[in-house]
Amino acid sequence: MSQFGVKKPPLSAKAVLHQRYGDKACYKVEQVLEPVENDCPGLAILHHDRVLYRCHLQLPELSVTSEKFTKRKDAEQSAAKMALEKLGIQPTTKDLTPEEAWDELIVRISSLFTDKFSLSGHPIVGHFRAAIKREGDTHGLIPVSIIAACDSKIVNLCKLVNPKAGSDPLLVVSLVLKAARLVNSICVSDRGLWMGKKGSYSSDALQSLISHSTTSTDHGSIEALFIPSSIEKPVETITLELSAGRCYMDEISQKLGVEDSSHVLVSRAVGKASSEMRFYFSSPRCQLSCPDLSSSETPLHGEEPLNLLGSYFSGQNIYGDAVLATVGYAWKSKDLFCENVTLSTYYRMLLGMTPDGCYKLSREAILAVKLPSSFTTKSNWRGHSPRDLLCMFCRHHRLMEPLFSVKELPAPSGASQGLDQLKSSEGLGVFACEVKILSKQQDPILECLGDGCKKQTDAVQKAALSALSWLDRCFKRLCVPLEEPSSSSSSSGSAQQIRVYPERFSQELAHCFAVHARRPRERDSPRMQPTQPGLVSFRVEGLESGAPPAVGSLVSISYTISLVGGAEEGSRQTLESRDELEFELGTGAVIDHVEACVSQMSTGQSAQFTISLPSRELVLAASGQSAELISPLDLRACSLEYSLKVLQISEPNEVRMEQALFSPPLSKQRVDFAMGLINSTSATSLVDFGCGSGSLLDSLMEHQTTLEKVVGVDVSTRGLCRAAKILHAKLAKEDSPVGSSIKSAVLYGGSITDYDSRLHGFDVGTCLEVIEHMEEDQAGLFGEVVLSLFCPRLLIISTPNYEYNPVLQGSLMAAEEDDRGEKSRTAPCRFRNHDHKFEWTRGQFERWAVDLASRHSYRVDFGGVGGSPGVEPGFASQIAVFRRCASHPAEAGPTAGAVKLYEVIWEWPS
């Protein structure tokens, strides 16, 4: 990094050509369809053509055509690079020295006061128009601060001349003044900080400046905020009167009590880059001197106190009282742009600077949600992702974008049991992500290593959430952490390494902690302490439509939150209302009171409860236009009333529920169960009925077995294609554990209730967690077909135990013995998956299996995984193991003719 500032990124090839040719560089992009190469040999499914882009670039001297690319912009950049090479143009990537930046600054300032610039759509041209209308000594002059704040090129050049200019608007003004005095075509006023063009504009330029007809946007009034220099004083709403005959800067200077608008300094834009929200504050009373280029220590602000709030929001040094307003001229628009800045806007800005506040605002549910404590899956997360939230936090505090580094965790001897189980689960690797938060000088201030995950993308999100949660705790404690590198425990129980650099941390977030620690806080009053969820009475109304939602369920609610109580008895003010809010139960995504209430409700029920107020700032951020009425009130006698209704409950999927209780997961335990039987029988052939995406077959590839041929059958072509790619990748590996034993692998498309003679008489047949996805009569048909026609020597069928569902779903099942000695439930219990057509109790499954076995010369034994034998309510996943008897007709050899109903989807070797 240059000692004078952040390294300037090189111009792209298109940008270089645009500088030279402008609109004469003509890009034409065409789509090209290209057949997709089959990356899985043996796969019979045809791939769709993919769309590529090729760019034709026409310049006055030559034309070029790019190669084909998957992205349009890449094709355009490639064509531009080819043109630059033919033209012999080498883009320069050299950083400007301070002296070169100074020369560029003089050139840039001189270019602003030209006829050509006055015809452009630059926002500064709007101020030129206002200057032309001004009468008196300042006719045609504009404040230097406008030049210093509204032209990004000038600001960037000033930062190269003096790196401190990025945080000090007054220093930028000083540099602009000094440069302007060296330009013959610019006049600088002796009294005040004004500058303008020497001489007059051309008739065309002058006509362009004065011909603009005033529109309604130039009239009326807007709300702005007066931000006192003392943080102990309240922020107040003021009104700015806008009129066609007066520049808005003159109105602001009057509010600040300064001589004229040239003594008003302007901050950078606050919020979005396109925003015109800025802080306006008075320049120091001392005479502005122009420091030498080599000097960066000259104090320019005099004795004015630092405005903590203004400096916090803008990231610049704001001194004295300030006005926060959204008003100014936008690019390519001759109209004055303006919007109200209300007290609610201010409190939302204050809230948005915190990690928890970023999430609240992303959901537009300030009083109902909070930053979740855990990340489960991308599909269940609502609002901005943890990664996006962390990037947003860093941008708000003028830090570098966080760096994410994902690595696959090794499996050293002595690793933790949880990690060993996670890595062995379904043969998948485990990824962990380290996130680093850096200062603008690229020095680390915080490092966080997140939990291990099976997916790299999930590892990134979990690491980001860990960092956000740690930062949020710092904000709530309102102190700078001084501890050395430490570890904290996540919700999953694993250790998360947090390393903080206290000195850098406190330096980068000094304004942040100063603002949040020194704000007057009514929440310190005993009446304002949060009400614990266990002390809140929830008034639930409506008939129960089923069991309450389980942990992991997606719950959709509507709600209204009102401010009640106060000086006037019976007063009520609605603060926040949503027709629909969806969240995952059990992840801490809503405040504790809402979660505790919803966990007792079912779909269609309504509830009300009342809690004490959270912080005053939070209430005012949510109050919108009512903030003006609420702000002066004494809120210590008020409370919040929540009225909500459960609209829909989407139960957690089966895998999520199983993973919450079992380690290794049930899917891994089922594979281990099958592997034990396969190895004990020295089987050489296996067929997986209902193989799906090949999860079982994939798991088999991680173990040494006696298998020589494996087959999968499924009705889903898409699932079989995924399975083919997974199996091909495993079998093609030279170091594959099964590479030397497996001689054949085939995937068939077809229904497992249809018979295909090519699969007759296999040593092992498996059907794990499949039959419950079929109608009961189809499951019965499969049992008949598999035992009477396919006739495997060993058949393993698993299905969920319905009696175990209350345990998985976190509810209790009241049971009693019926006349047959079986357990019956007093309330219905949900299936584990919305796609399940049925789920059997142990008695139902055993009767079905025993009946099949007795009619087809098989004997059957029962077992299971996830639970303990003889302990109620049995195994979570119940398993029937069918063994072919010696009296079975298949023992004498195949009797049926060749029947080939299945379609070969993939075969290995191809």
Side-chain angles (χ1 to χ4, degrees):
M1 181 192 302
S2 168
Q3 61 176 325
F4 298 104
V6 179
K7 185 175 181 180
K8 183 179 180 180
L11 292 176
S12 67
K14 279 190 69 176
V16 173
L17 284 180
H18 181 74
Q19 285 182 339
R20 173 167 292 208
Y21 295 100
D23 295 337
K24 295 180 181 178
C26 182
Y27 298 85
K28 291 184 179 180
V29 180
E30 64 173 343
Q31 290 186 0
V32 181
L33 295 179
E34 186 175 88
V36 177
E37 184 178 346
N38 192 346
D39 58 352
C40 183
L43 189 61
I45 303 300
L46 295 177
H47 289 271
H48 297 292
D49 293 341
R50 63 175 176 174
V51 177
L52 299 178
Y53 298 94
R54 182 166 51 207
C55 178
H56 304 279
L57 171 59
Q58 182 67 49
L59 297 174
E61 296 96 331
L62 53 84
S63 62
V64 294
T65 301
S66 73
E67 298 294 328
K68 292 173 284 189
F69 293 88
T70 56
K71 294 182 180 179
R72 179 187 296 268
K73 64 179 182 180
D74 291 340
E76 292 176 341
Q77 290 291 352
S78 175
K81 289 179 182 177
M82 294 171 63
L84 289 177
E85 291 174 359
K86 288 192 175 185
L87 293 169
I89 300 175
Q90 294 295 329
T92 177
T93 58
K94 181 186 174 204
D95 290 337
L96 295 176
T97 64
E99 291 75 17
E100 291 170 335
W102 176 250
D103 293 338
E104 289 288 331
L105 178 61
I106 295 173
V107 172
R108 176 60 182 173
I109 292 175
S110 65
S111 71
L112 300 184
F113 296 88
T114 61
D115 291 345
K116 180 180 179 181
F117 185 83
S118 67
L119 298 172
S120 71
H122 197 287
I124 291 179
V125 176
H127 291 275
F128 287 164
R129 290 194 296 270
I132 293 295
K133 298 176 183 178
R134 190 181 293 112
E135 298 178 353
D137 295 340
T138 58
H139 172 76
L141 302 180
I142 67 172
V144 178
S145 58
I146 291 296
I147 302 292
C150 298
D151 187 82
S152 60
K153 291 183 180 179
I154 286 180
V155 174
N156 290 331
L157 288 169
C158 287
K159 288 191 289 187
L160 290 174
V161 173
N162 189 326
K164 290 190 175 182
S167 60
D168 195 342
L170 191 55
L171 182 54
V172 178
V173 169
S174 174
L175 293 171
V176 170
L177 268 176
K178 182 170 184 178
R181 288 192 172 104
L182 301 176
V183 180
N184 293 329
S185 60
I186 297 177
C187 66
V188 178
S189 174
D190 293 331
R191 54 184 294 268
L193 303 176
W194 299 96
M195 61 193 301
K197 177 181 171 61
K198 279 185 180 178
S200 59
Y201 288 97
S202 68
S203 58
D204 290 341
L206 192 61
Q207 183 64 28
S208 174
L209 291 174
I210 66 176
S211 62
H212 169 58
S213 59
T214 302
T215 65
S216 59
T217 55
D218 293 320
H219 295 87
S221 61
I222 62 169
E223 292 183 19
L225 296 178
F226 185 81
I227 313 291
S229 59
S230 172
I231 200 170
E232 304 299 334
K233 295 182 179 179
V235 174
E236 297 178 348
T237 302
I238 59 175
T239 300
L240 299 180
E241 299 293 342
L242 305 179
S243 63
R246 191 183 191 204
C247 178
Y248 71 87
M249 287 287 288
D250 297 330
E251 176 71 4
I252 292 176
S253 67
Q254 183 178 341
K255 297 295 183 183
L256 290 172
V258 298
E259 181 180 352
D260 56 48
S261 59
S262 71
H263 290 85
V264 176
L265 299 181
V266 187
S267 77
R268 61 161 65 105
V270 178
K272 297 180 180 179
S274 59
S275 169
E276 285 301 319
M277 183 187 293
R278 300 175 188 270
F279 284 93
Y280 299 84
F281 59 104
S282 61
S283 61
R285 293 182 177 86
C286 62
Q287 177 65 34
L288 265 179
S289 61
C290 295
D292 185 65
L293 292 179
S294 61
S295 173
S296 60
E297 305 300 328
T298 306
L300 300 175
H301 53 80
E303 301 300 324
E304 291 286 348
L306 183 71
N307 189 311
L308 271 179
L309 279 173
S311 302
Y312 178 43
F313 287 127
S314 67
Q316 294 180 303
N317 295 331
I318 308 296
Y319 293 96
D321 296 336
V323 170
L324 178 62
T326 298
V327 59
Y329 296 98
W331 273 91
K332 298 182 179 180
S333 174
K334 295 182 179 181
D335 294 330
L336 185 66
F337 174 81
C338 54
E339 282 183 344
N340 290 327
V341 180
T342 64
L343 276 176
S344 178
T345 306
Y346 159 72
Y347 284 110
R348 287 171 69 91
M349 289 171 57
L350 195 64
L351 179 65
M353 300 292 281
T354 67
D356 185 42
C358 285
Y359 181 74
K360 288 175 176 290
L361 293 175
S362 78
R363 306 252 13 224
E364 286 295 331
I366 295 173
L367 298 175
V369 307
K370 64 177 182 177
L371 181 69
S373 58
S374 62
F375 178 90
T376 54
T377 63
K378 179 181 178 181
S379 60
N380 280 10
W381 184 274
R382 297 296 182 268
H384 292 330
S385 70
R387 185 185 189 281
D388 290 344
L389 290 171
L390 186 60
C391 292
M392 191 182 307
F393 175 85
C394 291
R395 287 193 292 269
H396 286 171
H397 293 275
R398 271 77 186 182
L399 303 172
M400 298 290 289
E401 289 287 302
L403 300 179
F404 297 91
S405 176
V406 181
K407 60 182 71 176
E408 186 169 5
L409 296 178
S413 57
S416 67
Q417 181 183 9
L419 179 60
D420 285 339
Q421 292 172 341
L422 189 59
K423 289 183 71 66
S424 63
S425 174
E426 301 184 9
L428 297 174
V430 173
F431 301 93
C433 176
E434 181 184 49
V435 58
K436 292 183 180 180
I437 299 179
L438 309 177
S439 68
K440 274 297 183 185
Q441 290 70 40
Q442 297 188 359
D443 297 319
I445 64 173
L446 181 70
E447 298 172 352
C448 175
L449 180 64
D451 290 340
C453 301
K454 297 178 185 178
K455 294 181 179 180
Q456 296 188 46
T457 54
D458 287 352
V460 169
Q461 301 296 352
K462 287 196 173 185
L465 184 57
S466 298
L468 284 167
S469 300
W470 188 89
L471 289 167
D472 192 53
R473 289 194 294 272
C474 289
F475 273 79
K476 289 176 179 176
R477 290 198 303 261
L478 295 177
C479 64
V480 177
L482 298 177
E483 64 265 22
E484 291 302 315
S486 61
S487 63
S488 61
S489 180
S490 70
S491 58
S492 61
S494 59
Q496 300 168 322
Q497 298 298 322
I498 301 288
R499 179 186 180 92
V500 61
Y501 298 83
E503 185 175 349
R504 296 176 195 157
F505 190 93
S506 59
Q507 181 179 355
E508 292 295 326
L509 298 177
H511 287 166
C512 166
F513 287 105
V515 167
H516 287 275
R518 292 173 61 182
R519 287 287 302 160
R521 299 192 306 275
E522 286 188 5
R523 60 174 171 266
D524 295 333
S525 169
R527 290 273 302 170
M528 306 294 283
Q529 293 299 322
T531 308
Q532 297 300 318
L535 302 179
V536 175
S537 175
F538 303 116
R539 301 183 296 278
V540 180
E541 300 175 353
L543 298 175
E544 291 186 4
S545 58
V551 171
S553 300
L554 279 178
V555 181
S556 178
I557 66 172
S558 61
Y559 71 87
T560 299
I561 304 173
S562 303
L563 181 70
V564 296
E568 297 183 13
E569 186 176 352
S571 64
R572 177 185 305 273
Q573 177 68 53
T574 299
L575 298 179
E576 185 173 292
S577 181
R578 288 282 299 273
D579 292 334
E580 184 176 7
L581 176 75
E582 192 172 44
F583 61 93
E584 182 180 2
L585 197 67
T587 60
V590 292
I591 66 170
D592 297 340
H593 312 85
V594 172
E595 179 144 325
C597 182
V598 169
S599 63
Q600 305 174 27
M601 301 169 66
S602 58
T603 302
Q605 287 189 310
S606 302
Q608 281 189 346
F609 60 88
T610 302
I611 64 173
S612 59
L613 288 188
S615 69
R616 183 185 185 88
E617 289 89 344
L618 205 61
V619 172
L620 291 172
S623 58
Q625 296 180 350
S626 303
E628 300 290 340
L629 299 174
I630 296 175
S631 178
L633 300 179
D634 182 358
L635 300 182
R636 285 174 293 181
C638 298
S639 56
L640 290 185
E641 182 184 84
Y642 285 68
S643 300
L644 56 88
K645 181 178 181 179
V646 176
L647 304 177
Q648 184 178 355
I649 298 173
S650 301
E651 297 302 329
N653 63 47
E654 184 176 5
V655 174
R656 286 281 319 285
M657 287 192 294
E658 292 177 354
Q659 287 179 343
L661 280 181
F662 300 106
S663 182
L666 287 183
S667 56
K668 175 69 168 61
Q669 295 186 42
R670 284 190 290 266
V671 171
D672 290 343
F673 186 97
M675 286 301 307
L677 292 173
I678 293 168
N679 290 330
S680 67
T681 60
S682 300
T684 60
S685 59
L686 177 143
V687 53
D688 185 21
F689 295 102
C691 65
S693 298
S695 58
L696 172 63
L697 300 178
D698 179 30
S699 299
L700 292 175
M701 300 297 160
E702 299 294 327
H703 301 80
Q704 281 285 0
T705 67
T706 57
L707 292 174
E708 297 179 359
K709 182 175 184 178
V710 293
V711 172
V713 182
D714 203 275
V715 293
S716 172
T717 302
R718 178 178 296 181
L720 291 170
C721 288
R722 288 197 294 265
K725 294 177 181 179
I726 294 172
L727 296 181
H728 174 76
K730 292 286 180 72
L731 292 170
K733 280 186 177 180
E734 295 183 359
D735 59 347
S736 172
V738 296
S740 58
S741 61
I742 298 293
K743 297 180 174 58
S744 172
V746 187
L747 295 177
Y748 290 108
S751 171
I752 61 176
T753 58
D754 293 332
Y755 173 66
D756 190 299
S757 59
R758 289 170 290 186
L759 305 186
H760 174 81
F762 271 53
D763 290 336
V764 177
T766 56
C767 185
L768 306 184
E769 308 298 291
V770 174
I771 61 173
E772 63 273 10
H773 295 272
M774 311 164 69
E775 298 293 344
E776 283 194 78
D777 60 337
Q778 290 297 300
L781 177 59
F782 164 70
E784 298 288 341
V785 171
V786 71
L787 296 186
S788 64
L789 297 176
F790 286 111
C791 307
R793 294 183 182 276
L794 182 75
L795 175 66
I796 307 169
I797 297 179
S798 76
T799 191
N801 172 16
Y802 185 65
E803 296 167 273
Y804 207 93
N805 288 3
V807 179
L808 287 173
Q809 296 165 4
S811 59
L812 297 176
M813 181 178 68
E816 60 183 13
E817 295 293 329
D818 61 12
D819 295 338
R820 297 172 303 220
E822 293 182 348
K823 289 190 175 182
S824 63
R825 295 165 303 110
T826 59
C829 197
R830 299 176 297 273
F831 290 166
R832 299 184 195 179
N833 192 306
H834 66 88
D835 190 47
H836 287 185
K837 303 300 189 294
F838 66 90
E839 289 180 4
W840 283 334
T841 63
R842 286 169 290 176
Q844 290 172 315
F845 183 53
E846 289 173 6
R847 286 196 296 274
W848 176 80
V850 168
D851 178 62
L852 276 176
S854 63
R855 289 189 289 106
H856 297 290
S857 299
Y858 276 81
R859 67 177 188 273
V860 61
D861 299 311
F862 297 95
V865 294
S868 303
V871 177
E872 293 298 325
F875 293 105
S877 185
Q878 50 189 339
I879 301 176
V881 180
F882 297 83
R883 290 179 172 85
R884 199 170 70 191
C885 299
S887 59
H888 195 285
E891 293 293 326
T895 56
V899 179
K900 297 183 179 181
L901 297 182
Y902 293 163
E903 176 187 3
V904 177
I905 301 298
W906 174 79
E907 189 171 6
W908 189 88
S910 57

